[in-house]
């Protein structure tokens, strides 16, 4: 016992947060940005522990306030609480994704459950909930933004089961922890299956599309396709079938506890789309157009295949199969469009592209971007910038972290180091935002040269950044990109539309060796290539979105009818048939390797990509009708959407801007499907 007390004291001593900890001190740095050189890895844990305690005390003070609950003394007080925690976590999570040493990784593993438990503590606090509820039920006099903040907080409680009776709450929590471990199991199995796929075929999962595009050996393609599409469904130790059923049954039970018939009903209730019917109708329309186009694409590919038959490379009567798609699509592409990325890359040197990204923001919104060498960065690869508005006022600080490195996870993303919000004394805290990408670093021979896809990514992520910078909200929880999942990509994808516009290209796309501007025929080829193979691409994406919806639309009774792996296969087959998917295409993800929906936040949400794309295409068409650099439209876009974050319902904002509901036709036209 003595030992225990002694070791506890030791832990307390180690984790005690001294006032010298850089997170506790005020940052007297340019724009209050993080003093990275003063922060050591040992500073995170004590600051987070102290931050959690401070916030708990602040919430306790809110709860024990003898005055009747008001927006100010409850919701606004909560919004302003936890300053040390946000300040620390803002740095910690960003570093853990983009500059994760093994010791940072270990800290993430250690602190994630601590942070999750602290969050649970807040949203299981009944006394706190009662105050929030009182404000929520009497919110008619509040501003619209205050109503939205209150609603969001209230729903967070309710959706976490606070209103359930004791037994219901206990079951809810039990399901949460069961789901967490099932998702982890799903992911672990998938990882093992991915490794097995590589062992069997010599190809990694991420290199699969490239392999299928370039592999001339049809039998090898067939083998790879079959191995790829049966991951998690091999009846071995890593089989995901039983796990999927268990996950779906538990999710549905949770939805039932909260009064929803299916988990799709529950998951969509707080999204822009609002309900499963709306999503189903939307996806159905896109699917029909995609399949029409896909049939034309097969026709073109079959012609090339017939030539291979004639040349004796394939047996007579060979028809396009799912494992032929990538390969023959590439053959059609190179014939039709003749676009060689080795020719485009010299025009997309990374510094030029960044210049183009900033130039577009200036041309559209009047935003100015200048280098800020006085701002410290966390890695020598990172560059800091200051963004100001047309009137010279500060919008925020931007870090561009573009190059891949070992300590960075894959992909590209935008994140906040600091959110925008207004302090109690009226001071407008401006955001600190990062764009992280995995662009190829310079080599000894060449500077960093970007692919067309990379260029789109740079514009995409800066679109998120603009959403974060132009925000004019009062409360953290609704400012900037704090909007629903099916709305947030609208702004990043919207910004992509400018990447290859003539006027913008003229400003940035110059050959890094000669300074020559990109020739017009090459620009035209890029435009055409972006519309290529869209029947297939849209079809497989849409099919996965529908499959996701259909799983989550099953009731508890229907799920009880699933007994084994075969019943899952039969369900997939039926769903694909009903959606009109042709045999040559399979969903981008099949059930047993659909990580987005069984181990990530995209359950009944994979449609979000297409949904957001409709919004951005529709908005862009509106710009096109008026000339894409029309100041008044851009101003309206900025005032309606970018300044308001989540302070109003997304559909209300969209109607306000557009005067009508989003038209799926806009997506079809952009993808060349109409
Ligand atoms: Zn995005």
């Amino acid at each position: 016992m003595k030992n225990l007390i002694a070791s506890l004291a030791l832990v307390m001593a180690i984790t005690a947060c001294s006032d010298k900890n850089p997170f506790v001190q005020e940052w007297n740095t340019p724009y209050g940005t993080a003093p990275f050189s003063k922060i050591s890895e040992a500073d995170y844990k004590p600051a987070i522990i102290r931050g959690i305690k401070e916030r708990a005390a602040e919430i306790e003070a809110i709860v024990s306030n003898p005055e009747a609950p008001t927006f100010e003394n409850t919701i606004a007080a909560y919004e302003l609480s936890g300053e040390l925690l946000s300040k620390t976590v803002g740095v910690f999570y960003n570093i853990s994704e983009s500059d994760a040493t093994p010791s940072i990784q270990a800290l993430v593993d250690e602190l994630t459950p601590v942070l999750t438990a602290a969050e649970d503590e807040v949203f299981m606090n009944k006394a706190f909930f009662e105050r929030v509820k009182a404000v929520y039920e009497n919110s008619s006099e509040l501003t619209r933004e205050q109503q939205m903040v209150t609603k969001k907080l209230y729903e967070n409680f309710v959706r976490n089961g606070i209103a359930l009776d004791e037994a219901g709450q206990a079951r809810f929590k039990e399901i949460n922890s069961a789901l967490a471990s099932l998702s982890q199991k799903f992911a672990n199995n998938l990882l093992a299956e991915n490794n097995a796929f590589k062992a069997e075929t010599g190809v990694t999962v991420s290199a699969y599309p490239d392999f299928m595009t370039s592999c001339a050996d049809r039998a090898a393609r067939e083998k790879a396709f079959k191995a790829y599409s049966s991951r998690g469904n091999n009846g071995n130790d890593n089989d995901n079938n039983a796990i999927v059923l268990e996950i779906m049954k538990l999710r549905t039970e949770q939805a039932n506890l909260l009064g929803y018939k299916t988990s799709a009903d529950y998951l969509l209730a707080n999204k822009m789309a609002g309900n499963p019917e709306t999503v189903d109708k939307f996806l159905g329309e896109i699917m029909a157009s995609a399949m029409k186009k896909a049939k034309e694409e097969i026709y073109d590919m079959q012609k090339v295949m017939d030539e291979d038959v004639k040349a004796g490379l394939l047996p007579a009567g060979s028809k396009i199969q799912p494992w032929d798609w990538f390969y023959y699509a590439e053959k059609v592409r190179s014939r039709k469009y003749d676009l060689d990325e080795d020719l485009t890359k010299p025009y997309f040197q990374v510094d030029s592209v960044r210049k183009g990204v900033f130039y577009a923001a200036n041309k559209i919104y009047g935003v100015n971007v200048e280098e800020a060498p006085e701002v410290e960065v966390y890695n020598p690869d990172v560059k800091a910038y200051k963004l100001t508005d047309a009137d010279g006022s500060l919008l925020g600080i931007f870090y561009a972290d573009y190059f891949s490195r070992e300590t960075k996870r894959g992909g590209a993303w935008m994140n906040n180091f600091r959110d925008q919000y207004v302090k109690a004394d009226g001071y407008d805290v401006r955001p600190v935002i990062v764009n992280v990408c995995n662009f190829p670093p310079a080599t000894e021979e060449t500077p960093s040269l970007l692919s067309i896809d990379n260029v789109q990514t740079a514009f995409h992520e800066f679109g998120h950044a603009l959403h974060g910078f132009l925000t004019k909200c009062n409360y953290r929880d609704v400012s900037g990109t704090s909007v629903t999942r099916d709305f947030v990509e609208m702004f990043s994808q919207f910004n992509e539309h400018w990447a290859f516009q003539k006027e913008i290209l003229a400003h940035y796309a110059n050959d890094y060796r000669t300074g020559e501007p990109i020739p017009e025929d090459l620009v035209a080829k890029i435009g055409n290539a972006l519309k290529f193979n869209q029947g297939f691409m849209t079809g497989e994406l849409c099919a996965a979105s529908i499959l996701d919806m259909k799983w989550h639309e099953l009731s508890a009774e229907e799920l009880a009818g699933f007994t084994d792996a075969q019943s899952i296969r039969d369900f997939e087959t039926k769903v694909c048939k009903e959606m009109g998917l042709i045999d040559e295409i399979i969903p981008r993800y099949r059930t047993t390797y659909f990580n987005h929906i069984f181990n990530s936040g995209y359950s009944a949400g994979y449609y979000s990509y297409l949904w957001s794309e409709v919004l951005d295409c529709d908005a862009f068409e509106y710009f096109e009708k008026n000339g894409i650099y029309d100041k008044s439209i851009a101003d309206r876009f900025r005032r309606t959407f970018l300044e308001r974050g989540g302070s109003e319902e997304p559909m209300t904002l969209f109607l306000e801007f557009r005067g009508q509901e989003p038209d799926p036709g806009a997506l079809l036209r952009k993808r060349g499907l109409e």
Side-chain angles (χ1 to χ4, degrees):
M1 194 62 180
K2 224 177 184 178
N3 275 345
L4 179 65
I5 291 169
S7 54
L8 267 179
L10 187 67
V11 170
M12 298 290 281
I14 290 169
T15 57
C17 183
S18 91
D19 291 340
K20 291 214 172 73
N21 187 302
F23 288 106
V24 176
Q25 294 176 347
E26 200 173 322
W27 290 344
N28 291 316
T29 51
Y31 315 104
T33 48
F36 294 108
S37 59
K38 292 204 176 79
I39 297 171
S40 74
E41 288 181 0
D43 294 324
Y44 291 115
K45 186 176 166 185
I48 285 175
I49 303 287
R50 178 164 164 175
I52 289 173
K53 279 187 194 151
E54 282 184 13
R55 189 181 62 173
E58 286 166 311
I59 290 174
E60 186 45 41
I62 296 171
V63 172
S64 56
N65 187 338
E67 286 169 32
T70 63
F71 179 83
E72 287 304 326
N73 74 20
T74 303
I75 313 291
Y78 169 73
E79 286 289 316
L80 290 169
S81 72
E83 200 170 327
L84 173 61
L85 188 60
S86 320
K87 188 176 171 184
T88 314
V89 166
V91 176
F92 178 60
Y93 273 134
N94 274 297
I95 298 298
S96 76
E97 305 246 278
S98 59
D99 219 4
T101 58
S103 46
I104 287 274
Q105 281 292 2
L107 262 182
V108 172
D109 292 344
E110 185 186 350
L111 292 174
T112 301
V114 176
L115 285 158
T116 310
E119 242 8 60
D120 282 352
E121 192 106 326
V122 175
F123 290 103
M124 284 170 191
N125 184 331
K126 281 241 180 203
F128 185 25
F129 173 64
E130 288 307 324
R131 288 187 73 95
V132 172
K133 189 175 169 208
V135 179
Y136 176 72
E137 285 172 349
N138 296 289
S139 57
S140 57
E141 301 291 308
L142 301 177
T143 67
R144 191 65 190 125
E145 183 184 358
Q146 290 171 339
Q147 287 174 349
M148 289 297 287
V149 180
T150 308
K151 179 171 166 248
K152 198 169 174 180
L153 188 57
Y154 172 80
E155 284 181 349
N156 222 333
F157 277 102
V158 174
R159 293 173 68 81
N160 280 297
I162 192 97
L164 298 173
D165 62 21
E166 219 167 284
Q169 240 183 27
R171 179 65 187 145
F172 197 89
K173 276 190 227 170
E174 199 173 67
I175 295 177
N176 265 349
S177 73
L179 281 173
S181 71
L182 283 164
S183 294
Q184 194 54 51
K185 249 192 208 158
F186 182 94
N188 294 346
N189 284 346
L190 183 53
L191 190 65
E193 287 285 273
N194 287 348
N195 291 335
F197 172 76
K198 190 183 169 216
E200 189 185 340
T201 61
V203 180
T204 62
V205 164
S206 58
Y208 172 75
D210 285 346
F211 170 78
M212 296 299 275
T213 304
S214 61
C215 175
D217 178 349
R218 195 178 190 214
R221 288 202 307 269
E222 179 174 356
K223 186 179 162 201
F225 169 83
K226 287 185 172 160
Y228 183 89
S229 59
S230 60
R231 284 173 295 147
N233 181 35
N234 289 312
N236 55 17
D237 285 351
N238 305 316
D239 194 284
N240 269 335
N241 285 296
I243 292 174
V244 163
L245 284 186
E246 195 57 28
I247 289 177
M248 284 317 308
K249 284 174 186 170
L250 289 173
R251 279 184 185 164
T252 309
E253 187 185 341
Q254 228 172 19
N256 293 161
L257 276 171
L258 295 175
Y260 297 93
K261 186 164 184 277
T262 69
S263 49
D265 290 322
Y266 164 61
L267 290 162
L268 284 157
N270 67 347
K271 301 298 180 305
M272 179 178 184
N275 56 63
E277 296 73 32
T278 304
V279 177
D280 289 346
K281 183 168 167 282
F282 165 77
L283 293 173
E285 279 173 36
I286 292 178
M287 195 64 189
S289 301
M291 286 306 100
K292 213 170 122 212
K293 185 74 177 182
K295 285 173 192 160
E296 293 172 21
E297 289 165 2
I298 292 181
Y299 181 78
D300 286 346
M301 293 191 294
Q302 188 64 51
K303 278 199 292 195
V304 183
M305 186 179 241
D306 290 346
E307 289 172 23
D308 284 353
V309 171
K310 254 190 217 149
L313 296 170
L314 293 173
S318 295
K319 292 279 171 240
I320 294 286
Q321 297 295 329
W323 47 90
D324 296 319
W325 200 294
F326 285 97
Y327 181 74
Y328 281 98
E330 178 55 26
K331 293 208 157 195
V332 175
R333 190 183 81 104
S334 60
R335 283 185 194 191
K336 258 192 171 168
Y337 300 112
D338 181 32
L339 178 70
D340 179 354
E341 287 218 28
D342 286 336
L343 294 180
T344 58
K345 275 183 185 171
Y347 297 97
F348 300 130
Q349 197 258 338
V350 72
D351 294 328
S352 313
V353 173
R354 181 167 39 214
K355 200 171 104 187
V357 168
F358 294 162
Y359 176 73
N362 179 273
K363 196 156 166 65
I364 306 163
Y365 307 112
V367 168
N368 293 304
V369 188
E370 55 187 299
E371 282 200 43
E374 70 276 25
V375 171
E376 247 193 74
V377 292
Y378 54 90
N379 183 291
D381 281 355
V382 182
K383 277 193 170 159
Y385 298 85
K386 177 173 112 171
L387 271 77
T388 49
D389 212 342
D391 66 2
S393 58
L394 179 73
L395 289 168
I397 297 299
F398 176 64
Y399 303 123
D401 182 357
Y402 276 174
F403 305 115
S404 57
R405 60 174 168 264
E406 253 177 42
T407 52
K408 196 187 270 190
R409 77 165 165 88
W413 61 94
M414 164 273 193
N415 209 348
N416 281 60
F417 273 77
R418 180 172 78 203
D419 294 324
Q420 183 269 330
Y421 66 101
V422 175
K423 286 192 171 181
D425 61 6
Y427 180 77
D428 181 11
V429 177
R430 295 313 304 172
V432 177
I433 290 172
V434 65
N435 275 177
V436 186
C437 305
N438 271 286
F439 296 154
T443 65
E444 269 176 26
E445 294 80 41
T446 56
S448 166
L449 300 176
L450 305 191
S451 67
I452 290 166
D453 190 53
N454 291 157
V455 174
Q456 285 179 309
T457 300
F459 277 82
H460 179 104
E461 297 309 332
F462 201 69
H464 283 308
L466 285 168
H467 197 193
F469 281 123
L470 296 175
T471 181
K472 278 191 178 170
C473 292
N474 292 289
Y475 308 99
R476 230 191 268 272
D477 270 342
V478 294
S479 79
T481 54
S482 298
V483 301
T484 61
R485 187 181 52 205
D486 56 358
F487 187 45
V488 73
E489 295 299 326
M490 168 175 174
F491 306 100
S492 47
Q493 292 173 171
F494 179 75
N495 208 47
E496 284 181 43
H497 288 276
W498 271 269
F500 303 114
Q501 296 296 333
K502 250 191 200 164
E503 296 89 330
I504 307 289
L505 280 169
H507 198 82
Y508 81 94
N510 297 79
D511 189 314
Y512 76 98
R513 297 159 300 194
T514 62
E516 283 296 306
I518 189 165
E520 263 182 40
D521 67 316
L522 207 49
V523 177
K525 278 181 187 171
I526 293 174
N528 288 330
L530 290 173
K531 283 189 175 162
F532 176 67
N533 202 28
Q534 286 297 327
F536 170 79
M537 307 262 272
T538 313
E540 61 153 22
L541 177 61
C542 196
S545 308
I546 294 174
L547 181 59
D548 166 33
M549 288 305 298
K550 292 300 158 197
W551 268 119
H552 290 88
E553 285 170 15
L554 292 170
S555 66
E557 297 73 45
E558 286 165 325
L559 276 163
F562 285 78
T563 47
D564 55 8
Q566 190 53 46
S567 51
I568 294 182
R569 294 293 80 69
D570 294 345
F571 177 70
E572 276 188 345
T573 308
K574 179 172 149 272
V575 168
C576 289
K577 195 166 185 280
E578 282 171 2
M579 70 171 88
L581 189 67
I582 55 177
D583 292 340
E584 292 85 349
I585 300 177
I586 63 165
R588 180 175 292 179
Y589 302 102
R590 292 178 68 183
T591 303
T592 52
Y593 54 92
F594 207 155
N595 196 58
H596 280 83
I597 68 167
F598 294 114
N599 174 47
S600 176
Y602 276 82
S603 32
Y606 197 62
Y607 75 93
S608 301
Y609 293 101
L610 285 166
W611 181 270
S612 294
E613 193 175 324
V614 166
L615 304 179
D616 76 69
C617 289
D618 198 7
F620 188 72
E621 280 192 355
Y622 189 64
F623 269 70
E624 279 180 318
K625 274 185 201 130
N626 298 278
I628 58 171
Y629 302 106
D630 184 291
K631 274 274 166 255
S632 64
I633 306 281
D635 272 358
R636 212 144 64 73
F637 188 81
R638 177 178 168 166
R639 270 183 282 112
T640 315
F641 291 117
L642 301 175
E643 289 184 359
R644 286 160 81 183
S647 65
E648 178 53 276
E649 298 289 353
M651 191 57 96
T652 308
L653 295 180
F654 195 89
L655 289 171
E656 202 178 307
F657 175 74
R658 194 68 177 89
Q660 63 185 52
E661 292 205 353
D663 169 20
L667 174 145
L668 301 178
R669 286 185 284 279
K670 179 197 151 208
R671 289 184 169 235
L673 298 176
E674 221 185 53

